[in-house]
Amino acid sequence: MLISRQHWSAPLAPTRLVTASAEVPTEGSAAANAALFKNHRSASGLPLGRHPSGALDRTEPTAWTTLYERLGAHEPDVKTQAEAAAALTRQLQRLEAMPAAEGDCPDTPEDLQVWMENGAQLASAKYQAYLDARKKGAPRSYFTSRSHALYVLRGLAPTKLVDGAWLYGLVRYWENPRYADLIRIYLEELGDGHADKNHVVLYRSLLARYGLDINSGLPDAFYAQGAMQLALAWNAEDFLPEILGFNLGYEQLPLHLLITAYELNELGIDPYYFTLHVTVDNAQTGHALRAVRAVRDALPRLRHDADFWKRVQLGCRLSGDGVGTIDVIRSFDIEQEVMRLFAGKSEAGQGVHSDYCRIEGRTVNDWLSDAADVPAFMAALVNKGWIRLGEPAENSRFWNLLQGPTAEMFGVFSPYELQLIHDWIRGEASSDGAAYTVAPAAGAPGGTTSKRPMSFKAQKAMAERRAAPRAPAANSDGEASALLDPDLTLLNEVLPQLDAREQTGLLVKAMSPAEHWTPAGLHATRLFSARL
């Protein structure tokens, strides 16, 4: 079992937001309000298992973030490729020195089929147990609130935005029939060139839809898995066995994928990216089966090579290395995330507020002059009643500066940030999953909504019934005139001037992890797929 990806793990124990007792004195007692602020925090910062203490601390970009950006922005130079190979080697050596967990990878290639089938059956059985528990009234296992779910989507972005990258380096060897399944998997990760199926396009759209910006604030450790995938992409010739094993481990259907899709839909958040993976990774005809077949096809045939298989096994373990979905879920602490948010805003906010308003003797500009003062500033806002924790957000004067017809700070915070603040203020009531745009029921404690949020699928069905007929979409070839894309224009101009082999080389270049999601990359993928 791939423990670090927690493929077959049981659902997480439900986490709860801890709020102050109802006996805490009402407004007017600074000590009581300070106590309320201290206790009003998420209890979901669970231990991260294999990760050392502090692995998820918010720090300046370091090794993994920098490597990720250098490998993912464009085709890396020889020096960067070598640095990526060295980083991969270090990770593999570390894994080799650690004892393998039971079920990480089968002992022999002959056991692959049974290993895959057993894993799929176990995941399905545990998912059914999860569904049965939910029907009996059990709470969500993963997401304590809507902001918790959005936090996870944001935290997974560095990995999801390079989905399938580990296979890219083999595409240039498309004429070798032993790699047919691997290249087919890569093309399907790219949606065969169709934007509505390209995994990276889908995740980028998901981030944009819910205002999730990953340009700052993510721990360096969140970039490790994506950086390793990119390192494999640009060093395929030196890490073929590891790529086979990585693909084998990564394409097995994990339990967390099933539960994540279910709970996102329940919270009214688009689950399509995750449900798509549930279908394409199936063990009957999907990527899980193709991954097993690809290992068998690529194993050396002219002589027995035990070292090759050991490297495949290490690659399988590598697919679960780094921070995974369960780790990101467990790392959520709503108070810590709120403090990170306001500390990040302090630099832009200092000096732009008027000085007529003072909070505990200090102007807002003074409070924001040092990001380290943010926790004390937020406590002061609670003490003075600007923020009323454990009540509907609309009861807080501060919230009404952010949202509403006369909101003076409208546009300062993204949709995710507003949801985070909204859930933090509401406290335990935010477990209802209500969006910050939904008004609470009159008189409900903590601003609880009168009914649970409509699922995303129900919202979509309602919107489709109400929508007017649409005009036909632009043709799938994505004409340059319709998209106004300079790379697409250049691709269409250059291709006719090249011979067949040069054309294929250019198409492969445009299908790189950095380019395949663009109009030119999508067009190149369609042309390449048509040639196979």
Side-chain angles (χ1 to χ4, degrees):
M1 169 169 60
L2 292 178
I3 296 299
S4 49
R5 286 189 76 209
Q6 306 208 22
H7 280 244
W8 326 123
S9 62
L12 295 178
T15 55
R16 294 291 188 184
L17 293 176
V18 180
T19 56
S21 165
E23 297 179 1
V24 172
T26 56
E27 184 181 347
S29 167
N33 284 327
L36 178 62
F37 175 82
K38 180 179 179 180
N39 292 323
H40 184 90
R41 56 185 301 144
S42 168
S44 60
L46 302 178
L48 296 178
R50 69 191 183 284
H51 297 290
S53 177
L56 303 186
D57 287 348
R58 269 71 182 169
T59 59
E60 291 300 315
T62 52
W64 289 119
T65 307
T66 302
L67 183 62
Y68 179 92
E69 291 172 347
R70 291 171 64 195
L71 293 172
H74 47 69
E75 183 174 351
D77 57 26
V78 174
K79 179 182 177 182
T80 303
Q81 289 183 37
E83 291 176 11
L88 267 178
T89 300
R90 288 193 296 271
Q91 293 298 105
L92 291 165
Q93 288 173 342
R94 181 180 59 80
L95 288 172
E96 189 173 20
M98 298 168 58
E102 183 181 357
D104 262 358
C105 193
D107 294 332
T108 69
E110 291 74 25
D111 297 327
L112 280 170
Q113 185 74 23
V114 173
W115 172 80
M116 176 196 67
E117 291 173 353
N118 287 346
Q121 290 170 8
L122 188 56
S124 297
K126 290 195 172 185
Y127 182 55
Q128 187 59 54
Y130 164 84
L131 293 177
D132 291 343
R134 294 302 309 278
K135 289 177 182 177
K136 294 176 182 177
R140 290 184 298 273
S141 291
Y142 283 4
F143 306 130
T144 57
S145 63
R146 185 179 176 89
S147 61
H148 189 175
L150 296 177
Y151 166 90
V152 172
L153 295 181
R154 181 173 177 269
L156 294 176
T159 301
K160 303 305 184 185
L161 292 179
V162 294
D163 203 359
W166 63 90
L167 292 174
Y168 171 67
L170 299 178
V171 177
R172 70 182 68 182
Y173 302 105
W174 62 275
E175 293 174 296
N176 187 338
R178 299 173 79 173
Y179 302 148
D181 277 310
L182 297 172
I183 291 170
R184 171 43 44 199
I185 290 173
Y186 186 70
L187 291 175
E188 290 180 3
E189 298 284 338
L190 273 55
D192 279 317
H194 300 286
D196 62 348
K197 293 294 186 291
N198 180 289
H199 295 184
V200 173
V201 172
L202 289 172
Y203 210 82
R204 289 173 67 91
S205 298
L206 188 66
L207 295 175
R209 179 173 194 154
Y210 297 105
L212 302 172
D213 179 14
I214 66 165
N215 290 328
S216 64
L218 289 181
D220 185 66
F222 282 23
Y223 289 87
Q225 177 62 228
M228 287 186 281
Q229 293 183 22
L230 291 167
L232 289 171
W234 296 110
N235 290 282
E237 290 78 6
D238 295 326
F239 292 94
L240 174 60
E242 289 80 9
I243 290 173
L244 291 167
F246 190 100
N247 187 68
L248 176 66
Y250 212 88
E251 294 297 350
Q252 303 309 308
L253 179 63
L255 174 63
H256 67 70
L257 192 66
L258 297 163
I259 296 176
T260 297
Y262 184 93
E263 295 194 1
L264 287 177
N265 178 62
E266 183 180 1
L267 289 167
I269 298 171
D270 188 354
Y272 181 66
Y273 173 88
F274 297 90
T275 56
L276 176 63
H277 281 75
V278 171
T279 58
V280 301
D281 289 348
N282 76 83
Q284 295 294 321
T285 59
H287 291 184
L289 178 63
R290 287 183 180 275
V292 167
R293 197 162 59 198
V295 172
R296 290 173 172 169
D297 287 346
L299 286 172
R301 295 166 181 260
L302 297 182
R303 65 179 175 86
H304 177 68
D305 191 341
D307 183 62
F308 191 97
W309 174 245
K310 288 181 180 178
R311 291 177 63 186
V312 171
Q313 290 177 307
L314 267 183
C316 191
R317 293 174 63 188
L318 184 69
S319 72
D321 199 35
V323 174
T325 298
I326 300 301
D327 300 310
V328 177
I329 292 170
R330 286 175 167 167
S331 72
F332 181 67
D333 182 306
I334 195 166
E335 182 181 314
Q336 183 183 57
E337 185 69 357
V338 167
M339 297 308 137
R340 180 202 66 78
L341 165 62
F342 282 102
K345 298 287 186 184
S346 64
E347 183 176 353
Q350 60 178 304
V352 300
H353 292 80
S354 61
D355 286 342
Y356 74 87
C357 180
R358 291 178 178 268
I359 308 293
E360 294 193 345
R362 297 175 61 179
T363 66
V364 175
N365 288 324
D366 185 31
W367 277 113
L368 297 179
S369 63
D370 186 346
D373 287 342
V374 163
F377 178 44
M378 302 306 293
L381 290 174
V382 172
N383 291 340
K384 295 302 181 182
W386 283 73
I387 296 175
R388 301 171 65 93
L389 298 177
E391 299 184 22
E394 292 76 12
N395 290 359
S396 291
R397 184 178 178 186
F398 180 78
W399 175 257
N400 292 317
L401 294 174
L402 313 183
Q403 279 289 103
T406 60
E408 296 179 29
M409 295 175 65
F410 180 82
V412 172
F413 296 91
S414 72
Y416 163 66
E417 293 167 343
L418 289 169
Q419 187 68 53
L420 183 70
I421 297 167
H422 182 263
D423 289 351
W424 175 65
I425 293 174
R426 293 180 67 219
E428 193 173 44
S430 67
S431 64
D432 64 7
Y436 72 90
T437 54
V438 176
T448 306
T449 54
S450 57
K451 57 183 179 180
R452 74 176 189 176
M454 183 182 295
S455 73
F456 180 82
K457 292 179 181 178
Q459 293 177 34
K460 184 179 179 182
M462 181 179 292
E464 289 174 349
R465 289 194 297 269
R466 294 176 176 176
R470 290 185 178 182
N475 69 68
S476 61
D477 289 333
E479 295 177 353
S481 58
L483 296 173
L484 192 62
D485 187 86
D487 289 330
L488 181 57
T489 300
L490 182 63
L491 182 67
N492 286 330
E493 289 176 353
V494 171
L495 274 176
Q497 304 172 30
L498 306 176
D499 62 34
R501 184 161 292 276
E502 291 172 332
Q503 287 181 353
T504 301
L506 180 57
L507 295 179
V508 170
K509 184 179 179 68
M511 292 162 58
S512 77
E515 308 294 341
H516 70 74
W517 57 273
T518 68
L522 293 168
H523 185 55
T525 305
R526 291 193 295 273
L527 294 176
F528 183 89
S529 297
R531 296 182 177 208
L532 295 182

